[in-house]
Amino acid sequence: MSMSILEGKKYNITTFGCQMNEHDSETIAGMLQEEKCVETLSRDEADIAVINTCSIRENADKRFFGTLGQLKKVKERNPHYMVCLCGCMMQQEHITETIKKKYPWVDIIFGTHNIDRFPKLLRDAYEERRKIMEVKEDRSDIAEGLPSKRLFKHKAFVNIMYGCNNFCTYCIVPYTRGREKSRHPEDILLEAEKLAADGVKEITLLGQNVNSYRGLDAGGQEKDFADLIYLLNEVEGIERIRFMTSHPKDLSHKLIEAYRDCRKLCDYIHLPVQSGSSRILKAMNRKYDREEYLRLVHKLREAVPNITMSTDIIVGFPSETEEDFKGTLSLVREVKYDSAFTFLYSRRKGTPAAQYEDQIPEEVKHERFNRLVEAVNSESAARNAACVGRVEKVLVEGRSKKDKGVLTGRTEGFKLVDFQGDENLIGKIADVEITEGKTFSLRGRVRQTL
Ligand code: 5AD
Ligand code: SF4
């Protein structure tokens, strides 16, 4: 067999953004490993540098172009340096146009719809010594059977659907990731079984809006998200199932029942609220109001009393008044989230809200942001303090980065726990008694290993 031109090449992947992107990077790494490339932790010393971009985070453009500036310096020293850009940002034409004009030394650009083509593009770029840009609009099929080099040995991401049809007025995702497409349930089950055989105990089902999963099985029957959970609950070796992200408007009664029926479904939900003001929610096109959201939270808590809840909140959406913002603060106090991701509203070119006239001044946004973070943190601290004395099941992930003598893991509710323990606990589910609750994590001591 002839040697592949890619064999032995050192690669490095930089990932910005959400878990979807992290998982795409795992796939890219998996494909490069199959080509016998080797990973390097130094981006500057790699032969192939991949930047997987995100267009959601505040200052995403600025950070991205800053990174490009750093890559340019390496490229000047080493003309063979292969610079590859992918991810959400590459699906935006104004970005790729700027790159072509101002950063002509970039070698490969590919989009979110053709990740599977990357090894081919890379070979072409090496063999034909040319620059390649291949960004697809969208596609009707889903590339199955791609490899993955996991970030964690005992837990894995599993995509169940791609894209989003919701068009929240602030969000770029429906434009960059395209329309919703669900994988076939059999493909998902097969992947989960393979992961279990490879030692994975926990899977996180990924999708922009997992609740709207509609997969056709081989018999032509439609399975919804709750059906899928019931099926995955039967996979031997998988001990925990989580999912990200669910949209409140589509959260079904059947899914709430699945929490009760499916032992492996963790008592945890990430349920983005975005705002506590019904008027702003309407302007965001979220399709639920404050009261409906609170009713849903109540229903979940009633069915699953121990459920841990996290959320996403945006401050400073166009036209947000002090009153609207106070509505968000009071909602945070009312729901008592275990944690929350907080975002400063950021104008995304091409989205409806970017055109709205009543944009909120930066200093007002920041001032509200700080108040919000304070409220969120004080609720988190209270929720974590309330865990003290409880015995939690913790999937032990590895050693703490800060203190090598300490192990870290996650509770069913996705709370991070630090505790003293032996290395052989890694990958196991341990009973840990919680001794201290901090703002962002817990401390505990091992009781027993399962
Ligand atoms: N500005 C601020 N936050 C945003 N998000 C998405 N788009 C924007 C934007 N333009 C946040 C939402 C979403 C999370 C993934 O990112 O809260 O739930
Ligand atoms: Fe964006 Fe809304 Fe879709 Fe989430 S549901 S990806 S916020 S458009």
Side-chain angles (χ1 to χ4, degrees), residues 8 94 142 160 164 204 324 335 345 353 377 381 392:
H94 71 276
I142 291 173
I160 63 163
C164 182
T204 301
D324 292 319
V335 176
Y345 169 71
N377 288 353
E392 295 277 354

Side-chain angles (χ1 to χ4, degrees), residues 157-416:
F157 298 122
V158 176
N159 271 125
I160 63 163
M161 47 103 61
Y162 298 88
C164 182
N165 292 352
N166 290 320
F167 291 93
C168 301
T169 53
Y170 52 80
C171 186
I172 194 78
V173 168
Y175 309 93
T176 61
R177 296 237 171 213
R179 292 296 71 72
E180 285 176 5
K181 282 181 284 287
S182 296
R183 289 176 69 192
H184 297 298
E186 292 90 345
D187 289 333
I188 297 169
L189 276 171
L190 188 69
E191 186 172 335
E193 282 159 5
K194 279 194 188 151
L195 288 168
D198 197 31
V200 167
K201 294 216 167 114
E202 177 181 308
I203 53 174
T204 301
L205 309 178
L206 291 182
Q208 303 297 344
N209 177 12
V210 290
N211 298 330
S212 64
Y213 172 84
R214 297 278 180 279
L216 280 185
D217 71 11
Q221 290 255 353
E222 198 178 80
K223 301 281 181 214
D224 66 16
F225 182 56
D227 296 331
L228 187 66
I229 300 274
Y230 280 92
L231 289 170
L232 289 165
N233 194 49
E234 301 304 317
V235 175
E236 214 170 303
I238 297 296
E239 285 299 319
R240 288 177 162 188
I241 303 167
R242 304 186 191 284
F243 56 86
M244 274 238 160
T245 292
S246 54
H247 194 303
K249 79 175 165 61
D250 298 313
L251 201 147
S252 65
H253 181 67
K254 199 165 150 193
L255 180 63
I256 297 180
E257 285 186 328
Y259 276 102
R260 194 193 56 210
D261 297 341
C262 301
R263 176 183 65 83
K264 297 175 180 179
L265 181 59
C266 290
D267 290 350
Y268 167 68
I269 191 162
H270 181 69
L271 194 62
V273 65
Q274 312 297 1
S275 168
S277 150
S278 294
R279 192 183 67 81
I280 293 291
L281 286 170
K282 196 166 178 17
M284 287 176 162
N285 190 30
R286 291 291 290 178
K287 303 188 182 88
Y288 55 85
D289 63 17
R290 177 192 173 97
E291 284 64 40
E292 279 166 320
Y293 184 89
L294 287 172
R295 266 201 297 280
L296 197 55
V297 167
H298 184 69
K299 231 173 120 179
L300 275 162
R301 286 246 160 87
E302 219 167 45
V304 196
N306 266 332
I307 198 160
T308 300
M309 278 191 196
S310 60
T311 197
D312 292 343
I313 303 169
I314 298 176
V315 290
F317 185 82
S319 88
E320 185 188 71
T321 61
E322 174 65 19
E323 276 317 295
D324 292 319
F325 174 66
K326 282 199 175 124
T328 300
L329 282 183
S330 72
L331 181 126
V332 165
R333 296 290 186 189
E334 198 167 333
V335 176
K336 303 187 191 319
Y337 291 109
D338 292 272
S339 65
F341 295 104
T342 47
F343 300 87
L344 286 160
Y345 169 71
S346 131
R347 245 170 144 161
R348 288 283 156 257
K349 206 171 174 174
T351 62
Q355 316 277 8
Y356 295 172
E357 271 170 15
D358 27 16
Q359 300 285 329
I360 305 297
E362 285 305 310
E363 60 279 10
V364 177
K365 274 199 246 175
H366 280 91
E367 190 263 343
R368 287 181 190 162
F369 185 81
N370 293 339
R371 283 155 69 201
L372 176 65
V373 169
E374 215 178 279
V376 162
N377 288 353
S378 93
E379 292 304 326
S380 298
R383 293 283 295 176
N384 288 346
C387 295
V388 173
R390 280 217 295 251
V391 176
E392 295 277 354
K393 295 213 176 307
V394 173
L395 175 59
V396 187
E397 287 177 6
R399 301 208 158 281
S400 155
K401 279 193 197 110
K402 282 178 260 154
D403 180 350
K404 292 283 166 217
V406 169
L407 296 176
T408 73
R410 297 237 180 215
T411 65
E412 268 200 40
F414 205 54
K415 288 180 191 278
L416 205 58

